[in-house]
Amino acid sequence: MSLVSYIGREGNILAETPEHCHTLKLPHPIVTNRDLEKLRRVSRGDFLASTLPTLFPAADGERGLERALDGICRRASLAIQSGYTILILSDRGVDPITRPSPVCLRLPRFITT
């Protein structure tokens, strides 16, 4: 078992091409702030990163959460259409007024759309 992960487009595993070399290697599943900044700034080859905020106003309750999750999915789709290949979901900026959205609630829906 390995904790190493690779980020990049997956091609045909039966055909070796130069495109298979265009991956980023993460030595472990924990990404430090320094590593995250490196990912955020990458813009080489097929890699272009975009950061999507996942916060919503806590006072808006369940409705606000639902709107926030829909907004995250829309922004992610637009980013992908614009050529971004790495999407960083950020919960930075949490305070007593804002809360992070549990994005995994929408992940299955996002993947199928």
Side-chain angles (χ1 to χ4, degrees):
M1 182 173 145
S2 173
L3 298 178
V4 174
S5 298
Y6 293 91
I7 297 175
R9 294 183 185 201
E10 294 181 6
N12 181 352
I13 62 171
L14 300 177
E16 290 185 29
T17 65
E19 288 77 29
H20 284 92
C21 297
H22 295 271
T23 59
L24 298 175
K25 181 180 178 180
L26 299 177
H28 45 77
I30 308 286
V31 179
T32 64
N33 284 334
R34 185 174 180 217
D35 293 337
L36 184 59
E37 284 307 312
K38 287 180 187 178
L39 281 174
R40 192 173 274 137
R41 297 185 197 303
V42 72
S43 62
R44 184 175 192 167
D46 292 338
F47 299 109
L48 186 59
S50 177
T51 301
L52 305 175
T54 63
L55 303 178
F56 75 100
D60 291 354
E62 186 178 331
R63 279 281 212 240
L65 174 59
E66 188 171 337
R67 282 193 306 269
L69 291 171
D70 288 340
I72 293 165
C73 290
R74 273 195 314 279
R75 288 191 305 276
S77 293
L78 289 171
I80 291 167
Q81 291 171 11
S82 297
Y84 290 93
T85 54
I86 299 174
L87 302 181
I88 299 169
L89 303 177
S90 175
D91 62 359
R92 290 193 182 192
V94 172
D95 58 28
I97 298 171
T98 58
R99 299 286 184 260
S101 302
V103 294
C104 290
L105 290 176
R106 283 281 198 250
L107 191 57
R109 178 178 164 254
F110 178 67
I111 291 173
T112 60
T113 58

